[in-house]
Amino acid sequence: MIANVKTISLNGIDGNLVEVQTDITGGLPTFEIVGLPDTSVRESKERIKSAIKNSEIEFASRRIIINLAPASSKKEGTSYDLPIAVGILAALNEIMSTNLENTIFIGELSLDGKINRVNGILPMCIEALNLGIKRVILPKGNEREASIVKGLEIIGVKNLKELVKYLNKEIEIEVIKADILKLFNKNYKEEIDFSEVKGQENVKRALEIAAAGRT
């Protein structure tokens, strides 16, 4: 049983298309991920197995091989959890594979099947748009940020069980549309400080020194 699912990887702020190729056969049970995955991607195997089982879906003992193509580029981060899980479920015929065309999947899984937000969603969605992708399925916590990118159908999902029902057309999920003017007219003075800025430690320290009067 073979299934192909698409996702986006990040190299700095540049997005790249990654095809998650899943092959499930009989034989000695194993679960391997190839295609230059880093430690966080290899660790996803246990998260994915638990998330599927805790979503009331049978996870039979099979030989599972996941290839992240192109294999020449390194794959980093936890955003591959969701596309790998979807690929496995499609190969097991738990998900309608015909409903995966022209769709990107992004998200980290918890052991209970919850889909957690990930970093870098905006450049991922921009690259998806540039590639002509029509739909992006991502964590509920990322949907507002992603909806800034016009021309994409943004679907935010809370957990794996909800996603399976949506892809099998058992439920509908509203497409998120952002109010750009409202978003950028927001007063950030009282709500956001340096704790909201990830990284950039040298820049933040320079600004703090300047604000203290030591220019």
Side-chain angles (χ1 to χ4, degrees):
M1 295 173 283
I2 296 177
N4 293 327
V5 173
K6 298 183 182 70
T7 188
I8 298 285
S9 67
L10 279 183
N11 181 14
I13 60 171
D14 296 323
N16 298 291
L17 183 68
V18 174
E19 187 170 308
V20 180
Q21 303 168 347
T22 305
D23 184 19
I24 300 181
T25 60
L28 187 65
T30 185
F31 188 170
E32 297 293 336
I33 301 176
V34 298
L36 284 185
D38 74 346
T39 302
S40 62
V41 179
R42 289 195 297 269
E43 287 178 348
S44 69
K45 292 184 286 187
E46 299 305 320
R47 291 194 298 271
I48 292 167
K49 286 193 290 185
S50 294
I52 291 175
K53 289 177 180 178
N54 290 322
S55 298
E56 301 177 8
I57 300 170
E58 183 180 356
F59 192 89
S61 295
R62 306 282 181 87
R63 178 179 173 81
I64 302 173
I65 304 296
I66 306 292
N67 179 43
L68 304 177
S72 57
S73 60
K74 190 172 183 179
K75 317 302 186 306
E76 301 176 332
T78 57
S79 64
Y80 295 93
D81 290 8
L82 187 59
I84 292 173
V86 171
I88 291 172
L89 294 175
L92 292 173
N93 294 319
E94 294 287 345
I95 285 178
M96 296 169 54
S97 59
T98 56
N99 204 19
L100 306 182
E101 292 297 322
N102 216 7
T103 301
I104 291 290
F105 294 89
I106 304 167
E108 175 189 316
L109 288 172
S110 292
L111 298 182
D112 61 358
K114 180 183 176 183
I115 301 174
N116 299 323
R117 71 185 311 277
V118 296
N119 295 325
I121 203 71
L122 194 55
M124 290 181 186
C125 288
I126 291 172
E127 180 62 20
L129 181 65
N130 292 337
L131 291 169
I133 299 297
K134 300 299 182 183
R135 181 174 61 172
V136 177
I137 297 179
L138 40 66
K140 192 76 174 175
N142 286 117
E143 64 180 7
R144 288 187 62 193
E145 177 186 0
S147 64
I148 294 174
V149 182
K150 296 300 181 183
L152 286 176
E153 182 181 343
I154 302 297
I155 303 295
V157 286
K158 299 176 182 177
N159 53 61
L160 190 58
K161 189 174 181 179
E162 180 184 54
L163 174 59
V164 171
K165 288 183 177 181
Y166 167 73
L167 291 174
N168 289 336
K169 298 183 179 180
E170 296 174 16
I171 62 170
E172 293 185 1
I173 299 178
E174 183 181 357
V175 176
I176 298 301
K177 297 180 180 179
D179 186 338
I180 302 296
L181 292 178
K182 183 178 179 180
L183 191 64
F184 285 99
N185 285 334
K186 187 177 179 181
N187 183 1
Y188 289 102
K189 289 184 178 180
E190 298 178 358
E191 300 180 21
I192 294 182
D193 56 28
F194 278 169
S195 66
E196 301 288 337
V197 180
K198 191 173 183 65
Q200 306 294 331
E201 299 301 330
N202 291 335
V203 176
K204 288 191 286 186
R205 178 163 174 76
L207 291 173
E208 289 169 356
I209 292 172
R214 296 176 61 187
T215 59

